[in-house]
Each structure stands twice: as structure tokens, then as C-alpha cells.
Amino acid sequence: MNNLMNEGTLKVIREAVITIPGLMSFAEVDKESGVVNATTSIDKAIEISITEKIHRLKIHIILMNGVNIKDVVTEVQIRVKYELEKLSNFTNSYYVDVAVDDLAK
């Protein structure tokens, strides 16, 4: 698990994302080979960096073929940002980047 966020926070992120239409799964990218694998584990699909009160997240996802990529990515960003800010009582700022690593065939 990522040591910068606890298990409860990762669960909030996962639950905010998994219900978005068009999302197939989270993605885990093997850094050596570049191979993209589907995963249900959010901690393998997220990169997190925290500086003072700014939290930057990069979520890797796989989308269904034929969806509007921009709409799905925007929805992921909005939901995750809102849920995390709500969890922190709006005291932290969050930047959410979304990487679409593959389209399901």
C-alpha cells in the first residue's frame, strides 16, 4: 500500500471511481516492460505525492472502448477531488491527474 495515504482514504478514492460509467478497471503499469494490466486494487493504480497542503494524485485507468474519454476523465477528477476534500474538511488542496492507459477491446 502507498505509505502516503491510509487504507481508508484509498477506499474513498476507489468507491468514488468504480461507479463511473465507461470505466473498465484500474490499471497497473509495469515500469520495466511498459505492460498494462487490469487491477481492482487502487493502491497499485495510483501515484501520490504530498507537499505541505497540496496533494497530487495520478490515477491509472482502463476505459471501455467507445466511451467519451474526456467525459470519463473529467468525472473521475471531479469525484475524487470532492470526496478527498470532504474527507479532509476542505483543509487540503487536491490535484487529480488521470492516465488512460488502455481501452478494453
Side-chain angles (χ1 to χ4, degrees):
M1 178 182 9
N2 191 307
N3 61 0
L4 296 176
M5 286 201 164
N6 64 37
E7 190 172 322
T9 304
L10 292 173
K11 183 179 177 187
V12 166
I13 296 169
R14 183 180 186 285
E15 289 176 359
V17 174
I18 60 170
T19 59
I20 297 173
L23 181 79
M24 187 69 167
S25 69
F26 293 108
E28 176 183 9
V29 180
D30 184 327
K31 294 188 188 319
E32 288 182 19
S33 66
V35 174
V36 176
N37 296 308
T39 182
T40 58
S41 179
I42 184 68
D43 60 330
K44 294 179 181 177
I46 192 167
E47 299 172 44
I48 302 168
S49 64
I50 300 174
T51 57
E52 293 188 29
K53 290 191 176 193
I54 298 174
H55 298 67
R56 181 173 288 277
L57 294 85
K58 184 173 186 180
I59 302 171
H60 295 267
I61 59 174
I62 298 173
L63 298 180
M64 292 179 187
N65 198 9
V67 300
N68 185 320
I69 295 170
K70 182 181 178 212
D71 288 348
V72 176
V73 167
T74 301
E75 188 66 22
V76 170
Q77 289 174 317
I78 290 168
R79 286 190 190 189
V80 170
K81 181 176 172 48
Y82 173 75
E83 290 298 329
L84 290 175
E85 286 177 349
K86 186 172 79 171
L87 190 65
S88 71
N89 293 319
F90 301 95
T91 58
N92 295 324
S93 295
Y94 293 89
Y95 293 100
V96 180
D97 296 318
V98 180
V100 178
D101 292 314
D102 201 0
L103 295 174
K105 293 153 185 79

